[in-house]
Amino acid sequence: MKILEKGTIFGLILSFFLFLNIFIAQAGYVPDLKVHNNDLELSKRFNFVDDDFTGSLRFKVINFVNPSGLSEKRFVLSYGRTDRPMIKIFNYQGQLVKEWQPFAWGFVGDISLAVADLDNDGSDEIIAGAGRGGGPQIIIFDQNGQQEYDFFWATEQGYRQGVEVAAGDINGNGEKEIIVSYLQEGEQTIKFFNVFGEKVADSLMVEGSDNFEPVRVGLLDLGNDKVEEILVGFSSGSVPKIKIYRLDGSVINEFLLYHESFKGGVNFVAKSFDHENLIVSGSGFSGGPHVRFFNGFGYLKKDPAFFVYDKDFRGGLEVDVVDLNDDGKMEFIFLPQTLGLGEPNFWHKHIAIDLSEQQLKYYQNNKLVESYSVSSGRRGMETPIGEFRLLAKNQRAYSAKYDLYMPWWMSFKKGYGIHELPEWANGYKEGQNHLGWPVSHGCVRLGVGNAENLYHWSPVGTPVVIKR
């Protein structure tokens, strides 16, 4: 249905600037790593990312002991989903200390990071896991980029869906184990290894998730018994939940970090300070830069509506909690998770519409989420073909030209959008039997319920590909 709304010029200008702001944010104009103090005041910021960078980012804070025995904190960042994924280390003055390519040429995916003092020498090692597209390879590096142990495979070498890594003491032996999660044939599996790649415990199967990528894992000693429990953060495609397990697979607790309708996944870190447990979460890709703070029981602490970047930013948020100054007070550190929407093979989310089949399909991480019948433009009022992005959304848009309402309106081009079956001023609603046939005035119609599902799933900026 082609739309001409009241206040069209103002609406178009507003839509343009909304799209421009989203595009700028996604393209990398807010990439600073930000440090906030315990009162959530911004205390420092670092520019570790070029303004034109498009790809994925991860970071951790590591402890480094110099030859004189003095320790300092450093930032380790991974730059993924690029032609040459890298790991870089920066000191607290923002200077580049070291950089290297952890995986073989040809790998262009994410790099999952974990840090831990694996040999008890005071300096943290860096654990890298290959993301989607790479094999399930785990490599341990020192802070000079030198491999410290033989790499190992977390599962079969042919697996290509990516892994997530973490580290912690899961059995109370005083040594850090390496924890790896992966998703294979719909099963979320967590495995536990020592530094030599030897299994040290039975695998843990995560129940109740419906994810498109491996779950995030954290560790926290909830009982102060020197044994760390396993925190699992559900990833994209599932509800934004933390589930806490014992090593034997029994569940201690589970709770939502955000509203259950958000399916973009969660990033989180779990730490203890002064015998107080704290879980800090950042929303995954497609969510705003919303940070929430919980204790180990899932109760909210601090400001529940704290946003790090502009609320329109939808690239996801990486988080960490560290005492950077060794003053006994925690700092909260944040970095965008994704900058730029990248090439189609790396779109986290996109909508594909085939006019010849009158079908709309939407994908997350190149996996089909759902397929719906649609009704596109009739002859002489055809739906435009090409690549677009969602420009603006309105739960109940009105067309003055046709005097009708279009629920769950998602604009992808001036005057065109995706929406639920229209409702005329006299109360008549187009029937479901119109779907599957090109009878609209140019827009793409969806059935009742389907349009609402797509509306909540797709943020402004989501790519829309329409072909015949």
Side-chain angles (χ1 to χ4, degrees), residues 4-63:
L4 183 63
E5 296 189 63
K6 296 177 180 178
T8 301
I9 295 177
F10 175 77
L12 291 175
I13 292 173
L14 179 60
S15 295
F16 171 76
F17 279 103
L18 281 171
F19 173 68
L20 181 62
N21 287 337
I22 293 296
F23 178 80
I24 287 175
Q26 297 286 11
Y29 289 89
V30 289
D32 287 356
L33 182 146
K34 293 186 176 182
V35 179
H36 290 251
N37 63 23
N38 193 44
D39 296 320
L40 302 184
E41 299 166 336
L42 180 63
S43 59
K44 200 171 181 66
R45 60 197 306 164
F46 298 88
N47 184 10
F48 294 146
V49 186
D50 295 334
D51 286 345
D52 60 353
F53 173 81
T54 59
S56 65
L57 297 166
R58 301 286 186 95
F59 85 96
K60 295 292 182 183
V61 177
I62 53 179
N63 192 60

Side-chain angles (χ1 to χ4, degrees), residues 42-339:
L42 180 63
S43 59
K44 200 171 181 66
R45 60 197 306 164
F46 298 88
N47 184 10
F48 294 146
V49 186
D50 295 334
D51 286 345
D52 60 353
F53 173 81
T54 59
S56 65
L57 297 166
R58 301 286 186 95
F59 85 96
K60 295 292 182 183
V61 177
I62 53 179
N63 192 60
F64 171 73
V65 178
N66 65 27
S68 301
L70 298 176
S71 65
E72 64 175 276
K73 298 297 191 296
R74 291 180 172 179
F75 302 101
V76 55
L77 277 72
S78 70
Y79 302 73
R81 222 169 290 157
T82 68
D83 292 337
R84 191 183 175 197
M86 302 284 290
I87 292 177
K88 299 183 181 183
I89 296 178
F90 299 86
N91 62 23
Y92 196 61
Q93 288 69 49
Q95 300 165 324
L96 178 65
V97 176
K98 192 70 181 179
E99 62 179 335
W100 69 95
Q101 189 171 351
F103 300 110
W105 285 90
F107 171 70
V108 293
D110 298 322
I111 302 173
S112 177
L113 291 176
V115 297
D117 184 2
L118 298 173
D119 52 15
N120 294 314
D121 66 351
S123 287
D124 288 328
E125 279 70 44
I126 299 162
I127 306 157
R132 184 165 55 94
Q137 191 177 27
I138 310 299
I139 308 180
I140 301 169
F141 298 96
D142 66 17
Q143 296 187 26
N144 292 312
Q146 299 300 310
Q147 187 174 328
E148 286 206 344
Y149 302 88
D150 289 340
F151 74 84
F152 62 90
W153 305 100
T155 185
E156 295 85 359
Q157 294 184 31
Y159 170 82
R160 289 293 182 271
Q161 297 304 307
V163 299
E164 290 288 338
V165 292
D169 188 356
I170 60 167
N171 51 25
N173 66 354
E175 297 180 355
K176 300 290 187 181
E177 286 75 43
I178 297 170
I179 299 96
V180 183
S181 75
Y182 62 90
L183 175 64
Q184 193 164 23
E185 298 179 352
E187 296 290 333
Q188 287 282 4
T189 304
I190 298 176
K191 288 185 175 180
F192 309 94
F193 302 91
N194 62 21
V195 295
F196 305 107
E198 301 166 339
K199 287 184 63 176
V200 296
D202 292 335
S203 299
L204 174 64
M205 307 302 294
V206 179
E207 303 293 338
S209 65
D210 185 19
N211 299 276
F212 296 111
E213 57 192 11
V215 293
R216 297 280 185 109
V217 179
L219 289 302
L220 198 60
D221 182 3
L222 294 173
N224 293 317
D225 57 359
K226 308 301 181 182
V227 175
E228 294 186 307
E229 280 69 40
I230 303 147
L231 282 68
V232 176
F234 285 14
S235 55
S236 62
S238 192
V239 293
K241 180 187 290 187
I242 285 279
K243 205 166 184 177
I244 305 177
Y245 289 89
R246 299 181 183 89
L247 186 58
D248 63 7
S250 59
V251 177
I252 298 173
N253 194 13
E254 58 182 278
F255 52 90
L256 291 172
L257 301 177
Y258 301 97
H259 191 276
E260 62 184 356
S261 63
F262 175 64
K263 300 295 180 66
V266 294
N267 309 318
F268 76 97
V269 63
K271 294 287 181 71
S272 292
F273 281 92
D274 292 331
H275 306 291
E276 181 183 20
N277 294 318
L278 183 66
I279 300 168
V280 182
S281 70
S283 57
F285 182 84
S286 80
H290 187 188
V291 180
R292 306 192 84 187
F293 308 85
F294 301 85
N295 65 13
F297 299 100
Y299 296 114
L300 273 169
K301 300 171 65 68
K302 295 187 178 291
D303 184 356
F306 178 63
F307 284 75
V308 179
Y309 301 101
D310 188 286
K311 291 184 178 182
D312 287 333
F313 178 72
R314 291 293 184 270
L317 196 64
E318 293 288 324
V319 300
D320 204 354
V321 182
V322 179
D323 179 3
L324 286 172
N325 306 316
D326 294 323
D327 60 358
K329 296 181 180 179
M330 66 184 73
E331 279 81 34
F332 303 101
I333 311 162
F334 310 102
L335 183 72
Q337 176 188 354
T338 306
L339 294 168

